[in-house]
Amino acid sequence: MNPETMKLKMARMKDSMDSGNRTSTGELSVCVLASGSKGNAIYISDGACSILVDAGLSGKAIELRMRERDLDPTTLTAVLVTHEHSDHIQGVGVLSRRYNLPVYIARNTLKAAPQLGKLHEVNHFECGQGFSIGKLSIHPFSTSHDAADPAGFTFQQNGTKIGVATDLGIATAMVKEHLKACALLVLEANHDPDMLINGPYPWPLKQRIKGRSGHLSNQDSRVLLNEIQHDQLKHVVLAHLSETNNTPETAYQTVGEGITKCRAHLSVALQERCGELIRL
């Protein structure tokens, strides 16, 4: 083990001990660092294990976003990749090499992403087969999107469950099943159908976005949320909003109408700044 690798590992161990003094290990925390067509990244931690779901900004930008929330990039444990589109993987290779991070990625996604370059360590997962990182149980599930093998994820520890589902054209029965019983959901609300149809995009792109392998509309997100909500759902973060075909206010109002069976706090993730650190 070279000195630099040893230094990073020691720093991670120290931070885990320090974080245990600030936050009890097992308490889950989530922060959407960025969300939208220009870059996506979500930070999830249980106090001992800290991961990124996607790294679609530059490595430097992700480091800056993390530090805005007093999160130390040197304490990251791994990066998970949902799919190969550039707004989800731009910083993956850089962060993996800089911090000696393992990358968890589907085989076909890796094949479709040669721009990742050399990675410190690769761990393949298959949708439908759960795995663990530390004490964090992770279950990837297939989504309907125009990528090689796109995935959503649930994360679970000590009975608390988090669901992440962005970049999905439709909410399949499988998606609905996996997102049940979550305490926190990061859920796509990409576009308003009227704004999309009447907007400036060329017709083929409009068809792609609203198609079965495109992106979920505000209305579709509302229907999905209404179906899977339960009285223990505490937070819903709307994600991957289109800058051209949606607004935070429109998404919030439309999807919010679907919260009828619980008191979940609804928020909207933005492209230009990171969200709050949510603790569960």
Side-chain angles (χ1 to χ4, degrees), residues 118-144:
K118 181 177 176 58
L119 301 174
H120 170 68
E121 178 184 325
V122 175
N123 292 280
H124 293 296
F125 66 79
E126 293 185 18
C127 287
Q129 296 184 11
F131 60 94
S132 296
I133 301 178
K135 294 184 178 180
L136 196 58
S137 297
I138 303 169
H139 201 105
F141 56 90
S142 294
T143 60
S144 176

PDB file of all heavy atoms in Angstrom, residues 118-144:
ATOM      1  N   LYS A 118      -9.528   5.059 -16.571  1.00  0.00           N
ATOM      2  CA  LYS A 118      -9.099   4.072 -15.585  1.00  0.00           C
ATOM      3  C   LYS A 118      -9.744   4.383 -14.237  1.00  0.00           C
ATOM      4  O   LYS A 118      -9.714   5.524 -13.770  1.00  0.00           O
ATOM      5  CB  LYS A 118      -7.583   4.077 -15.457  1.00  0.00           C
ATOM      6  CG  LYS A 118      -7.037   3.048 -14.468  1.00  0.00           C
ATOM      7  CD  LYS A 118      -5.533   3.065 -14.435  1.00  0.00           C
ATOM      8  CE  LYS A 118      -4.990   2.114 -13.376  1.00  0.00           C
ATOM      9  NZ  LYS A 118      -5.439   0.718 -13.573  1.00  0.00           N
ATOM     10  N   LEU A 119     -10.325   3.368 -13.620  1.00  0.00           N
ATOM     11  CA  LEU A 119     -10.952   3.519 -12.315  1.00  0.00           C
ATOM     12  C   LEU A 119     -10.104   2.812 -11.263  1.00  0.00           C
ATOM     13  O   LEU A 119      -9.473   1.788 -11.541  1.00  0.00           O
ATOM     14  CB  LEU A 119     -12.362   2.940 -12.330  1.00  0.00           C
ATOM     15  CG  LEU A 119     -13.328   3.563 -13.342  1.00  0.00           C
ATOM     16  CD1 LEU A 119     -14.648   2.808 -13.357  1.00  0.00           C
ATOM     17  CD2 LEU A 119     -13.557   5.038 -13.041  1.00  0.00           C
ATOM     18  N   HIS A 120     -10.111   3.342 -10.051  1.00  0.00           N
ATOM     19  CA  HIS A 120      -9.311   2.743  -8.976  1.00  0.00           C
ATOM     20  C   HIS A 120      -9.719   1.296  -8.731  1.00  0.00           C
ATOM     21  O   HIS A 120      -8.872   0.417  -8.578  1.00  0.00           O
ATOM     22  CB  HIS A 120      -9.473   3.555  -7.695  1.00  0.00           C
ATOM     23  CG  HIS A 120      -8.897   2.886  -6.488  1.00  0.00           C
ATOM     24  ND1 HIS A 120      -7.551   2.692  -6.310  1.00  0.00           N
ATOM     25  CD2 HIS A 120      -9.502   2.319  -5.398  1.00  0.00           C
ATOM     26  CE1 HIS A 120      -7.335   2.063  -5.177  1.00  0.00           C
ATOM     27  NE2 HIS A 120      -8.493   1.815  -4.599  1.00  0.00           N
ATOM     28  N   GLU A 121     -11.025   1.053  -8.703  1.00  0.00           N
ATOM     29  CA  GLU A 121     -11.552  -0.297  -8.459  1.00  0.00           C
ATOM     30  C   GLU A 121     -12.957  -0.358  -9.039  1.00  0.00           C
ATOM     31  O   GLU A 121     -13.723   0.598  -8.926  1.00  0.00           O
ATOM     32  CB  GLU A 121     -11.591  -0.588  -6.957  1.00  0.00           C
ATOM     33  CG  GLU A 121     -12.158  -1.951  -6.579  1.00  0.00           C
ATOM     34  CD  GLU A 121     -12.255  -2.127  -5.073  1.00  0.00           C
ATOM     35  OE1 GLU A 121     -11.375  -1.623  -4.351  1.00  0.00           O
ATOM     36  OE2 GLU A 121     -13.222  -2.773  -4.618  1.00  0.00           O
ATOM     37  N   VAL A 122     -13.295  -1.470  -9.655  1.00  0.00           N
ATOM     38  CA  VAL A 122     -14.626  -1.646 -10.248  1.00  0.00           C
ATOM     39  C   VAL A 122     -15.334  -2.812  -9.574  1.00  0.00           C
ATOM     40  O   VAL A 122     -14.766  -3.907  -9.437  1.00  0.00           O
ATOM     41  CB  VAL A 122     -14.532  -1.905 -11.766  1.00  0.00           C
ATOM     42  CG1 VAL A 122     -15.916  -2.212 -12.342  1.00  0.00           C
ATOM     43  CG2 VAL A 122     -13.931  -0.699 -12.475  1.00  0.00           C
ATOM     44  N   ASN A 123     -16.560  -2.568  -9.161  1.00  0.00           N
ATOM     45  CA  ASN A 123     -17.420  -3.617  -8.627  1.00  0.00           C
ATOM     46  C   ASN A 123     -18.705  -3.629  -9.432  1.00  0.00           C
ATOM     47  O   ASN A 123     -19.401  -2.608  -9.495  1.00  0.00           O
ATOM     48  CB  ASN A 123     -17.741  -3.368  -7.152  1.00  0.00           C
ATOM     49  CG  ASN A 123     -16.525  -3.521  -6.268  1.00  0.00           C
ATOM     50  OD1 ASN A 123     -16.136  -4.615  -5.922  1.00  0.00           O
ATOM     51  ND2 ASN A 123     -15.899  -2.398  -5.926  1.00  0.00           N
ATOM     52  N   HIS A 124     -19.005  -4.755 -10.059  1.00  0.00           N
ATOM     53  CA  HIS A 124     -20.210  -4.838 -10.884  1.00  0.00           C
ATOM     54  C   HIS A 124     -21.409  -5.249 -10.035  1.00  0.00           C
ATOM     55  O   HIS A 124     -21.307  -6.094  -9.146  1.00  0.00           O
ATOM     56  CB  HIS A 124     -20.016  -5.856 -12.009  1.00  0.00           C
ATOM     57  CG  HIS A 124     -18.985  -5.437 -13.017  1.00  0.00           C
ATOM     58  ND1 HIS A 124     -19.123  -4.332 -13.811  1.00  0.00           N
ATOM     59  CD2 HIS A 124     -17.786  -5.988 -13.356  1.00  0.00           C
ATOM     60  CE1 HIS A 124     -18.077  -4.209 -14.594  1.00  0.00           C
ATOM     61  NE2 HIS A 124     -17.250  -5.199 -14.336  1.00  0.00           N
ATOM     62  N   PHE A 125     -22.541  -4.639 -10.325  1.00  0.00           N
ATOM     63  CA  PHE A 125     -23.788  -5.081  -9.717  1.00  0.00           C
ATOM     64  C   PHE A 125     -24.771  -5.442 -10.817  1.00  0.00           C
ATOM     65  O   PHE A 125     -24.590  -5.062 -11.981  1.00  0.00           O
ATOM     66  CB  PHE A 125     -24.389  -4.004  -8.801  1.00  0.00           C
ATOM     67  CG  PHE A 125     -24.842  -2.740  -9.512  1.00  0.00           C
ATOM     68  CD1 PHE A 125     -26.046  -2.696 -10.200  1.00  0.00           C
ATOM     69  CD2 PHE A 125     -24.068  -1.589  -9.462  1.00  0.00           C
ATOM     70  CE1 PHE A 125     -26.471  -1.533 -10.838  1.00  0.00           C
ATOM     71  CE2 PHE A 125     -24.471  -0.419 -10.103  1.00  0.00           C
ATOM     72  CZ  PHE A 125     -25.685  -0.403 -10.797  1.00  0.00           C
ATOM     73  N   GLU A 126     -25.787  -6.190 -10.465  1.00  0.00           N
ATOM     74  CA  GLU A 126     -26.856  -6.535 -11.387  1.00  0.00           C
ATOM     75  C   GLU A 126     -28.182  -6.087 -10.789  1.00  0.00           C
ATOM     76  O   GLU A 126     -28.425  -6.308  -9.586  1.00  0.00           O
ATOM     77  CB  GLU A 126     -26.888  -8.037 -11.647  1.00  0.00           C
ATOM     78  CG  GLU A 126     -25.676  -8.558 -12.393  1.00  0.00           C
ATOM     79  CD  GLU A 126     -25.809 -10.029 -12.746  1.00  0.00           C
ATOM     80  OE1 GLU A 126     -26.950 -10.541 -12.726  1.00  0.00           O
ATOM     81  OE2 GLU A 126     -24.780 -10.661 -13.046  1.00  0.00           O
ATOM     82  N   CYS A 127     -29.011  -5.469 -11.597  1.00  0.00           N
ATOM     83  CA  CYS A 127     -30.316  -5.036 -11.118  1.00  0.00           C
ATOM     84  C   CYS A 127     -31.102  -6.252 -10.629  1.00  0.00           C
ATOM     85  O   CYS A 127     -31.126  -7.294 -11.284  1.00  0.00           O
ATOM     86  CB  CYS A 127     -31.085  -4.322 -12.222  1.00  0.00           C
ATOM     87  SG  CYS A 127     -30.447  -2.666 -12.582  1.00  0.00           S
ATOM     88  N   GLY A 128     -31.695  -6.100  -9.467  1.00  0.00           N
ATOM     89  CA  GLY A 128     -32.447  -7.193  -8.872  1.00  0.00           C
ATOM     90  C   GLY A 128     -31.667  -7.977  -7.847  1.00  0.00           C
ATOM     91  O   GLY A 128     -32.246  -8.785  -7.121  1.00  0.00           O
ATOM     92  N   GLN A 129     -30.341  -7.733  -7.768  1.00  0.00           N
ATOM     93  CA  GLN A 129     -29.502  -8.424  -6.792  1.00  0.00           C
ATOM     94  C   GLN A 129     -28.893  -7.410  -5.834  1.00  0.00           C
ATOM     95  O   GLN A 129     -28.101  -6.559  -6.220  1.00  0.00           O
ATOM     96  CB  GLN A 129     -28.400  -9.216  -7.497  1.00  0.00           C
ATOM     97  CG  GLN A 129     -28.922 -10.336  -8.382  1.00  0.00           C
ATOM     98  CD  GLN A 129     -27.811 -11.172  -8.985  1.00  0.00           C
ATOM     99  OE1 GLN A 129     -26.649 -11.062  -8.594  1.00  0.00           O
ATOM    100  NE2 GLN A 129     -28.164 -12.017  -9.943  1.00  0.00           N
ATOM    101  N   GLY A 130     -29.264  -7.513  -4.568  1.00  0.00           N
ATOM    102  CA  GLY A 130     -28.785  -6.586  -3.565  1.00  0.00           C
ATOM    103  C   GLY A 130     -27.333  -6.821  -3.192  1.00  0.00           C
ATOM    104  O   GLY A 130     -26.779  -7.893  -3.410  1.00  0.00           O
ATOM    105  N   PHE A 131     -26.709  -5.808  -2.621  1.00  0.00           N
ATOM    106  CA  PHE A 131     -25.340  -5.911  -2.120  1.00  0.00           C
ATOM    107  C   PHE A 131     -25.194  -4.923  -0.968  1.00  0.00           C
ATOM    108  O   PHE A 131     -26.103  -4.141  -0.683  1.00  0.00           O
ATOM    109  CB  PHE A 131     -24.311  -5.643  -3.230  1.00  0.00           C
ATOM    110  CG  PHE A 131     -24.421  -4.275  -3.862  1.00  0.00           C
ATOM    111  CD1 PHE A 131     -23.646  -3.211  -3.404  1.00  0.00           C
ATOM    112  CD2 PHE A 131     -25.281  -4.053  -4.935  1.00  0.00           C
ATOM    113  CE1 PHE A 131     -23.732  -1.955  -3.992  1.00  0.00           C
ATOM    114  CE2 PHE A 131     -25.385  -2.799  -5.528  1.00  0.00           C
ATOM    115  CZ  PHE A 131     -24.609  -1.747  -5.055  1.00  0.00           C
ATOM    116  N   SER A 132     -24.071  -4.974  -0.310  1.00  0.00           N
ATOM    117  CA  SER A 132     -23.834  -4.105   0.832  1.00  0.00           C
ATOM    118  C   SER A 132     -22.523  -3.358   0.686  1.00  0.00           C
ATOM    119  O   SER A 132     -21.552  -3.874   0.119  1.00  0.00           O
ATOM    120  CB  SER A 132     -23.811  -4.911   2.137  1.00  0.00           C
ATOM    121  OG  SER A 132     -25.063  -5.508   2.400  1.00  0.00           O
ATOM    122  N   ILE A 133     -22.503  -2.142   1.201  1.00  0.00           N
ATOM    123  CA  ILE A 133     -21.269  -1.385   1.379  1.00  0.00           C
ATOM    124  C   ILE A 133     -21.234  -1.031   2.859  1.00  0.00           C
ATOM    125  O   ILE A 133     -22.071  -0.270   3.341  1.00  0.00           O
ATOM    126  CB  ILE A 133     -21.218  -0.122   0.513  1.00  0.00           C
ATOM    127  CG1 ILE A 133     -21.332  -0.479  -0.980  1.00  0.00           C
ATOM    128  CG2 ILE A 133     -19.936   0.653   0.761  1.00  0.00           C
ATOM    129  CD1 ILE A 133     -21.331   0.718  -1.903  1.00  0.00           C
ATOM    130  N   GLY A 134     -20.302  -1.604   3.576  1.00  0.00           N
ATOM    131  CA  GLY A 134     -20.341  -1.480   5.019  1.00  0.00           C
ATOM    132  C   GLY A 134     -21.610  -2.129   5.538  1.00  0.00           C
ATOM    133  O   GLY A 134     -21.947  -3.251   5.177  1.00  0.00           O
ATOM    134  N   LYS A 135     -22.333  -1.399   6.374  1.00  0.00           N
ATOM    135  CA  LYS A 135     -23.589  -1.903   6.919  1.00  0.00           C
ATOM    136  C   LYS A 135     -24.804  -1.369   6.154  1.00  0.00           C
ATOM    137  O   LYS A 135     -25.945  -1.592   6.557  1.00  0.00           O
ATOM    138  CB  LYS A 135     -23.708  -1.540   8.399  1.00  0.00           C
ATOM    139  CG  LYS A 135     -22.676  -2.225   9.272  1.00  0.00           C
ATOM    140  CD  LYS A 135     -22.889  -1.905  10.739  1.00  0.00           C
ATOM    141  CE  LYS A 135     -21.874  -2.626  11.608  1.00  0.00           C
ATOM    142  NZ  LYS A 135     -22.075  -2.317  13.055  1.00  0.00           N
ATOM    143  N   LEU A 136     -24.543  -0.688   5.043  1.00  0.00           N
ATOM    144  CA  LEU A 136     -25.611  -0.117   4.238  1.00  0.00           C
ATOM    145  C   LEU A 136     -26.064  -1.133   3.192  1.00  0.00           C
ATOM    146  O   LEU A 136     -25.281  -1.548   2.334  1.00  0.00           O
ATOM    147  CB  LEU A 136     -25.114   1.152   3.556  1.00  0.00           C
ATOM    148  CG  LEU A 136     -26.147   2.113   2.959  1.00  0.00           C
ATOM    149  CD1 LEU A 136     -27.131   2.596   4.011  1.00  0.00           C
ATOM    150  CD2 LEU A 136     -25.426   3.294   2.317  1.00  0.00           C
ATOM    151  N   SER A 137     -27.324  -1.547   3.270  1.00  0.00           N
ATOM    152  CA  SER A 137     -27.872  -2.508   2.305  1.00  0.00           C
ATOM    153  C   SER A 137     -28.412  -1.756   1.095  1.00  0.00           C
ATOM    154  O   SER A 137     -29.211  -0.824   1.231  1.00  0.00           O
ATOM    155  CB  SER A 137     -29.006  -3.313   2.951  1.00  0.00           C
ATOM    156  OG  SER A 137     -28.511  -4.079   4.028  1.00  0.00           O
ATOM    157  N   ILE A 138     -27.977  -2.165  -0.093  1.00  0.00           N
ATOM    158  CA  ILE A 138     -28.305  -1.458  -1.334  1.00  0.00           C
ATOM    159  C   ILE A 138     -28.969  -2.433  -2.292  1.00  0.00           C
ATOM    160  O   ILE A 138     -28.516  -3.563  -2.465  1.00  0.00           O
ATOM    161  CB  ILE A 138     -27.026  -0.876  -1.966  1.00  0.00           C
ATOM    162  CG1 ILE A 138     -26.331   0.052  -0.964  1.00  0.00           C
ATOM    163  CG2 ILE A 138     -27.349  -0.141  -3.262  1.00  0.00           C
ATOM    164  CD1 ILE A 138     -24.940   0.469  -1.383  1.00  0.00           C
ATOM    165  N   HIS A 139     -30.060  -1.978  -2.898  1.00  0.00           N
ATOM    166  CA  HIS A 139     -30.749  -2.832  -3.863  1.00  0.00           C
ATOM    167  C   HIS A 139     -30.979  -2.041  -5.155  1.00  0.00           C
ATOM    168  O   HIS A 139     -31.756  -1.087  -5.184  1.00  0.00           O
ATOM    169  CB  HIS A 139     -32.089  -3.305  -3.309  1.00  0.00           C
ATOM    170  CG  HIS A 139     -32.587  -4.535  -3.994  1.00  0.00           C
ATOM    171  ND1 HIS A 139     -32.553  -5.792  -3.417  1.00  0.00           N
ATOM    172  CD2 HIS A 139     -33.083  -4.728  -5.247  1.00  0.00           C
ATOM    173  CE1 HIS A 139     -33.027  -6.687  -4.264  1.00  0.00           C
ATOM    174  NE2 HIS A 139     -33.352  -6.051  -5.382  1.00  0.00           N
ATOM    175  N   PRO A 140     -30.288  -2.419  -6.229  1.00  0.00           N
ATOM    176  CA  PRO A 140     -30.508  -1.766  -7.525  1.00  0.00           C
ATOM    177  C   PRO A 140     -31.694  -2.389  -8.254  1.00  0.00           C
ATOM    178  O   PRO A 140     -31.908  -3.606  -8.177  1.00  0.00           O
ATOM    179  CB  PRO A 140     -29.205  -2.052  -8.279  1.00  0.00           C
ATOM    180  CG  PRO A 140     -28.709  -3.340  -7.701  1.00  0.00           C
ATOM    181  CD  PRO A 140     -29.190  -3.407  -6.282  1.00  0.00           C
ATOM    182  N   PHE A 141     -32.463  -1.555  -8.929  1.00  0.00           N
ATOM    183  CA  PHE A 141     -33.601  -2.058  -9.698  1.00  0.00           C
ATOM    184  C   PHE A 141     -33.637  -1.378 -11.066  1.00  0.00           C
ATOM    185  O   PHE A 141     -33.179  -0.244 -11.232  1.00  0.00           O
ATOM    186  CB  PHE A 141     -34.917  -1.837  -8.942  1.00  0.00           C
ATOM    187  CG  PHE A 141     -35.185  -0.405  -8.554  1.00  0.00           C
ATOM    188  CD1 PHE A 141     -35.885   0.453  -9.397  1.00  0.00           C
ATOM    189  CD2 PHE A 141     -34.749   0.086  -7.321  1.00  0.00           C
ATOM    190  CE1 PHE A 141     -36.134   1.774  -9.035  1.00  0.00           C
ATOM    191  CE2 PHE A 141     -34.993   1.399  -6.943  1.00  0.00           C
ATOM    192  CZ  PHE A 141     -35.686   2.246  -7.803  1.00  0.00           C
ATOM    193  N   SER A 142     -34.149  -2.103 -12.046  1.00  0.00           N
ATOM    194  CA  SER A 142     -34.167  -1.597 -13.417  1.00  0.00           C
ATOM    195  C   SER A 142     -35.173  -0.461 -13.577  1.00  0.00           C
ATOM    196  O   SER A 142     -36.255  -0.477 -12.990  1.00  0.00           O
ATOM    197  CB  SER A 142     -34.525  -2.728 -14.381  1.00  0.00           C
ATOM    198  OG  SER A 142     -33.520  -3.712 -14.410  1.00  0.00           O
ATOM    199  N   THR A 143     -34.791   0.513 -14.391  1.00  0.00           N
ATOM    200  CA  THR A 143     -35.684   1.612 -14.738  1.00  0.00           C
ATOM    201  C   THR A 143     -35.842   1.681 -16.247  1.00  0.00           C
ATOM    202  O   THR A 143     -35.033   1.119 -17.002  1.00  0.00           O
ATOM    203  CB  THR A 143     -35.147   2.955 -14.215  1.00  0.00           C
ATOM    204  OG1 THR A 143     -33.856   3.206 -14.791  1.00  0.00           O
ATOM    205  CG2 THR A 143     -35.035   2.942 -12.697  1.00  0.00           C
ATOM    206  N   SER A 144     -36.868   2.377 -16.679  1.00  0.00           N
ATOM    207  CA  SER A 144     -37.152   2.526 -18.105  1.00  0.00           C
ATOM    208  C   SER A 144     -36.531   3.828 -18.593  1.00  0.00           C
ATOM    209  O   SER A 144     -37.087   4.912 -18.394  1.00  0.00           O
ATOM    210  CB  SER A 144     -38.678   2.530 -18.326  1.00  0.00           C
ATOM    211  OG  SER A 144     -38.984   2.760 -19.677  1.00  0.00           O
TER     212      SER A 144
END
